[in-house]
Amino acid sequence: MNFFNLFKIALKALANNKMRGFLTMLGIIIGVASVITMLAIGQGSKQSIKSQISEMGSNMIMIFPGNMERGGVRQSSDDQQTMKVSDYEAIRDDAKFVSYVSPQVSSSGQFINGNNNYPSSVQGITQDYLEIRKLKVAEGEIFTDEDIKTAAKVCILGQTVVDNLFTNGEDPIGRVVRFNKIPFTVIGVLQEKGANSMGQDQDDIVLAPYTTVMKRLLAIDYIQGLFCSALDEDMSDEAQDEITEILRAQHKLKDGEEDNFTIRSQQELSEMMNSTSDMMTILLACIAGISLLVGGIGIMNIMYVSVTERTREIGLRMSIGAKGRDVLMQFLIESVIISVLGGIIGVILGVVASELVKAIAHWPISIQPYSVILSFAVCTITGVFFGWYPAKKAANLDPIEAIRYE
Amino acid sequence: MLDNNKEIIKVDNIRRDFKVGDEVVHALRGVSFAIHDGEFVTIMGTSGSGKSTLLNILGCLDTPTAGEYYLDGLAVRKMSKNERAWMRNRKIGFVFQNYNLLPKTTALENVELPLLYNSKISSKERRERAEKALKAVELGDRLYHKSNQMSGGQMQRVAIARALVNDPVIILADEATGNLDTRTSFAILTLFQELHARGRTIIFVTHNPDLANYSSRNIVLRDGKVVSDTVNPNIQSARATYETLPAPEE
């Protein structure tokens, strides 16, 4: 008995019971479709979180002056004056795993343009900051190294600030706004970014050369922090180690002495958020997996009924020379056909359902090739696993009794 | 004319015991006979005589408790299940009382069935042989009729074609006319006689004593033993009987 013949026999038997075959398949179809859709939703939201984080700069590393104890009293990091421009220069010149670095100082206050005023804060930075935070200048241009050297009174505005200061829609480029009585010339406007995943307005921002903020606004000789970019996300750890080393050397810390700065990376945030969405994906997959299991039990149930119902047929097949193995294979192939066919339809339905979710609910969707392969494999295994017992039962029938079964 | 031919079946003092609860039932208590190529044997007996048990053993569906059964020279008693399945596939053609055709399946596919379990036969040869077998039972024009669209007589013809298709050494018919009306019974019996005339060896198990007149030899069983084994020198023609019967009123 060759396999092809058995396949034909099984197909024929299924064709004789189309409705029942379809209903059995339905369990598998729903199971597979839900596995694929659930994983697509889970992965889609994971990717959307990831892309939101990377919009903020996925490989961003932030360094702040650390908490320091003075006589048992912990000081706020804002009061620390341990980080200097020389730290920035050291990282800029020596760090190999860091692609961009910018010092950061900020001063908050009121912006005034004619009758309009708006409270915001000025970030004192270098041009690198735009790369690190994935910001782009939409109109005008970024300040130059010369502007940094001379502490030029220039600034770049975020869209929210523009909207509040230039209510009549005039072009802000070249205009002078005053901030804490100091006039700044607007040389650029940032591209709109919208709110981030935590709801903060990313357009409420004003950028200026860090020298300007340090000397003209704050009159300080230290910086409040450093923003860096690792070469890529995977090298975030190496970059952090390197930065630690450089800063410890800069700050002349002895071995065993605590760091007097704190490093935070965007990667930590992204890991945390990933673990949340991974958990959600696992949960969804579990629910979907259970429905696949129920579908499998459906197959077993139907195959079981089918064996009983076709006892005479089995008896006949045996009496004309079918071996137990042939009968076993026939029923096994039948259940595998049901499950694989159900799997194929389920995959199609799952993809369609995912696209519908995307089109109607506007959820981010990402159909995973592995989920398709996985559910398909599970399907086939389900067919074999749940088909085995009924098929074994069929194969073990006594042909004498089976042929006379009423 | 008959006895100088090859021995197809040799049953040598076979016994078959069944355990029913604590009791042992002796279904066959030492049955011996030989059937030669070209014989048409009817095996008779009332229910409980052991004829079904004998048929199961002859059909390689069951094995005797003691004694030996040779089919086409091969000893069956010690054979494994799979070997007996092979014997059924190659050496035996079964015809059952209730036809046992696959439902919703064409005559051709039903007849092809035994050959499907023989991997040596190509699909082309399978089809040719099935068509030939159906033509031999005068159903050449009904190849694609489904089993549920046929009359009882037609279904039994398909079943006979299925029994012929693997070119068996013996055809085993179990009450093959039991479900048919008298007229159709004789039509089927005529077909068996024609097959016999063409050299087929046939064993026809029945409880209808009239049928003994139409076979070449009659074995009667009672209580698990052969009580009579007679050659019929004067075989009646089933066709002649068939023609005397009134045609069904339309």
Side-chain angles (χ1 to χ4, degrees):
Chain A
M1 187 74 193
N2 65 42
F3 187 78
F4 183 70
N5 286 350
L6 279 170
F7 192 76
K8 260 171 72 177
I9 290 170
L11 219 53
K12 178 83 196 164
L14 287 175
N16 281 347
N17 267 310
K18 288 191 193 78
M19 190 61 188
R20 192 166 71 183
F22 173 73
L23 288 175
T24 314
M25 233 177 255
L26 209 55
I28 291 292
I29 292 172
I30 292 168
V32 170
S34 56
V35 165
I36 290 175
T37 314
M38 294 299 176
L39 283 175
I41 291 170
Q43 289 298 313
S45 69
K46 184 173 166 180
Q47 283 189 4
S48 112
I49 289 170
K50 204 171 167 181
S51 76
Q52 279 179 9
I53 288 171
S54 74
E55 257 173 50
M56 296 193 294
S58 64
N59 40 10
M60 184 168 78
I61 299 167
M62 293 159 281
I63 305 132
F64 300 107
N67 290 347
M68 220 165 73
E69 269 177 74
R70 267 192 204 144
V73 181
R74 281 186 182 261
Q75 310 280 311
S76 156
S77 66
D78 292 348
D79 301 335
Q80 304 304 315
Q81 305 184 2
T82 49
M83 288 178 74
K84 308 285 179 191
V85 176
S86 60
D87 292 343
Y88 154 66
E89 285 161 349
I91 291 172
R92 184 188 63 192
D93 297 340
D94 299 337
K96 286 191 276 305
F97 292 104
V98 172
S99 48
Y100 299 104
V101 57
S102 165
Q104 185 256 341
V105 283
S106 75
S107 166
S108 50
Q110 210 73 7
F111 279 95
I112 298 163
N113 174 42
N115 294 332
N116 300 315
N117 71 91
Y118 184 70
S120 189
S121 64
V122 178
Q123 301 290 326
I125 42 94
T126 67
Q127 299 93 319
D128 275 9
Y129 187 79
L130 277 83
E131 298 292 340
I132 297 163
R133 298 298 301 262
K134 305 272 194 280
L135 299 169
K136 282 197 181 72
V137 177
E139 292 167 60
E141 53 202 11
I142 182 71
F143 46 79
T144 60
D145 289 343
E146 189 62 26
D147 291 331
I148 292 174
K149 209 177 274 175
T150 60
K153 288 177 279 186
V154 291
C155 69
I156 300 164
L157 305 180
Q159 196 58 50
T160 306
V161 183
V162 172
D163 291 345
N164 282 290
L165 291 181
F166 300 91
T167 45
N168 296 329
E170 57 268 57
D171 184 6
I173 308 287
R175 301 286 291 266
V176 175
V177 295
R178 280 185 300 138
F179 179 75
N180 294 356
K181 290 176 185 157
I182 297 165
F184 279 85
T185 308
V186 180
I187 58 166
V189 175
L190 291 170
Q191 208 171 61
E192 224 174 323
K193 254 192 134 176
N196 67 10
S197 50
M198 298 192 265
Q200 287 168 332
D201 182 3
Q202 298 182 93
D203 297 319
D204 188 2
I205 184 173
V206 178
L207 303 178
Y210 71 96
T211 46
T212 314
V213 178
M214 281 172 72
K215 291 173 187 161
R216 298 191 191 274
L217 293 177
L218 298 169
I220 52 174
D221 63 344
Y222 57 87
I223 57 175
Q224 292 165 341
L226 281 165
F227 279 77
C228 305
S229 226
L231 277 179
D232 69 59
E233 207 178 337
D234 299 333
M235 290 188 199
S236 185
D237 287 339
E238 284 91 337
Q240 287 182 54
D241 291 345
E242 196 180 35
I243 290 163
T244 307
E245 208 173 297
I246 292 171
L247 289 182
R248 285 187 72 91
Q250 282 285 323
H251 296 179
K252 299 187 172 65
L253 296 175
K254 295 187 193 78
D255 288 349
E257 235 179 308
E258 244 184 278
D259 290 346
N260 60 358
F261 51 89
T262 314
I263 299 181
R264 287 262 172 273
S265 77
Q266 196 71 290
Q267 203 195 12
E268 286 169 27
L269 182 69
S270 99
E271 270 167 16
M272 189 187 79
M273 290 203 147
N274 271 351
S275 76
T276 316
S277 66
D278 275 347
M279 183 116 98
M280 190 171 97
T281 306
I282 290 167
L283 252 154
L284 291 174
C286 279
I287 294 165
I290 287 167
S291 70
L292 201 56
L293 180 79
V294 172
I297 293 168
I299 288 189
M300 186 163 172
N301 188 17
I302 288 298
M303 292 310 292
Y304 201 79
V305 170
S306 178
V307 166
T308 310
E309 193 186 84
R310 286 153 68 192
T311 300
R312 274 251 302 273
E313 178 197 321
I314 295 162
L316 168 78
R317 286 180 187 280
M318 286 178 153
S319 67
I320 60 172
K323 298 182 176 76
R325 202 181 57 221
D326 296 331
V327 174
L328 180 88
M329 285 303 285
Q330 178 191 336
F331 280 89
L332 217 49
I333 289 171
E334 268 182 44
S335 61
V336 170
I337 289 175
I338 288 179
S339 59
V340 167
L341 212 58
I344 292 170
I345 298 171
V347 166
I348 296 166
L349 205 69
V351 171
V352 170
S354 304
E355 292 299 330
L356 277 181
V357 167
K358 191 171 165 184
I360 294 167
H362 300 293
W363 287 4
I365 287 299
S366 161
I367 295 162
Q368 298 296 301
Y370 84 83
S371 74
V372 175
I373 295 163
L374 183 87
S375 52
F376 209 76
V378 169
C379 244
T380 315
I381 294 165
T382 306
V384 174
F385 185 79
F386 289 103
W388 180 265
Y389 181 70
K392 192 75 195 157
K393 189 190 162 210
N396 287 344
L397 284 175
D398 180 358
I400 300 168
E401 282 169 23
I403 196 95
R404 296 198 170 85
Y405 183 86
E406 292 297 333
Chain B
M1 171 198 147
L2 295 170
D3 287 338
N4 50 11
N5 282 341
K6 191 181 158 205
E7 226 172 40
I8 297 292
I9 279 177
K10 186 173 162 58
V11 180
D12 188 12
N13 195 25
I14 57 169
R15 297 172 173 278
R16 183 68 172 101
D17 301 333
F18 292 103
K19 261 200 173 150
V20 181
D22 292 336
E23 273 181 81
V24 175
V25 176
H26 304 283
L28 295 176
R29 305 159 182 256
V31 173
S32 301
F33 57 80
I35 293 172
H36 295 84
D37 195 14
E39 280 193 278
F40 181 1
V41 183
T42 41
I43 295 178
M44 300 203 175
T46 52
S47 61
S49 62
K51 66 180 195 307
S52 290
T53 308
L54 180 62
L55 182 80
N56 289 340
I57 290 173
L58 293 178
C60 297
L61 291 166
D62 198 2
T63 48
T65 313
E68 188 53 272
Y69 164 44
Y70 300 93
L71 175 60
D72 204 22
L74 301 165
V76 175
R77 194 166 84 93
K78 292 266 171 65
M79 279 187 178
S80 70
K81 265 188 174 179
N82 284 349
E83 283 171 314
R84 282 188 283 123
W86 185 89
M87 291 292 276
R88 294 197 292 271
N89 189 238
R90 307 297 164 88
K91 304 279 184 194
I92 301 168
F94 277 103
V95 181
F96 301 96
Q97 180 173 4
N98 47 18
Y99 332 124
N100 278 321
L101 298 184
L102 295 186
K104 299 180 198 166
T105 307
T106 63
L108 200 61
E109 284 171 314
N110 266 297
V111 175
E112 280 183 350
L113 202 60
L115 302 181
L116 275 175
Y117 291 99
N118 182 347
S119 55
K120 282 186 190 136
I121 290 173
S122 71
S123 60
K124 187 166 165 276
E125 190 188 349
R126 190 161 67 221
R127 202 190 159 76
E128 283 167 4
R129 283 173 68 168
E131 276 183 32
K132 206 178 131 212
L134 278 165
K135 279 177 189 143
V137 297
E138 294 155 23
L139 283 178
D141 56 339
R142 288 194 158 76
L143 300 181
Y144 300 102
H145 278 58
K146 295 205 167 160
S147 43
N148 42 344
Q149 300 165 341
M150 286 188 278
S151 68
Q154 286 169 340
M155 284 201 273
Q156 195 58 299
R157 281 171 193 274
V158 174
I160 293 168
R162 185 179 61 195
L164 287 172
V165 76
N166 57 346
D167 196 17
V169 296
I170 182 105
I171 292 174
L172 286 176
D174 182 11
E175 297 280 14
T177 57
N179 276 13
L180 302 170
D181 60 73
T182 316
R183 201 177 142 81
T184 317
S185 292
F186 278 102
I188 293 296
L189 206 55
T190 306
L191 180 58
F192 274 109
Q193 282 193 334
E194 281 167 9
L195 295 173
H196 174 226
R198 274 182 251 155
R200 291 278 172 196
T201 314
I202 299 163
I203 295 178
F204 198 109
V205 177
T206 180
H207 67 274
N208 182 354
D210 295 343
L211 296 184
N213 298 327
Y214 300 91
S215 68
S216 70
R217 180 179 166 191
N218 186 34
I219 296 173
V220 180
L221 287 179
R222 189 179 299 150
D223 297 331
K225 281 181 179 164
V226 175
V227 290
S228 105
D229 184 351
T230 52
V231 172
N232 180 6
N234 184 21
I235 303 170
Q236 256 185 279
S237 162
R239 181 174 291 279
T241 313
Y242 172 74
E243 277 159 5
T244 63
L245 294 168
E249 285 161 35
E250 295 288 329

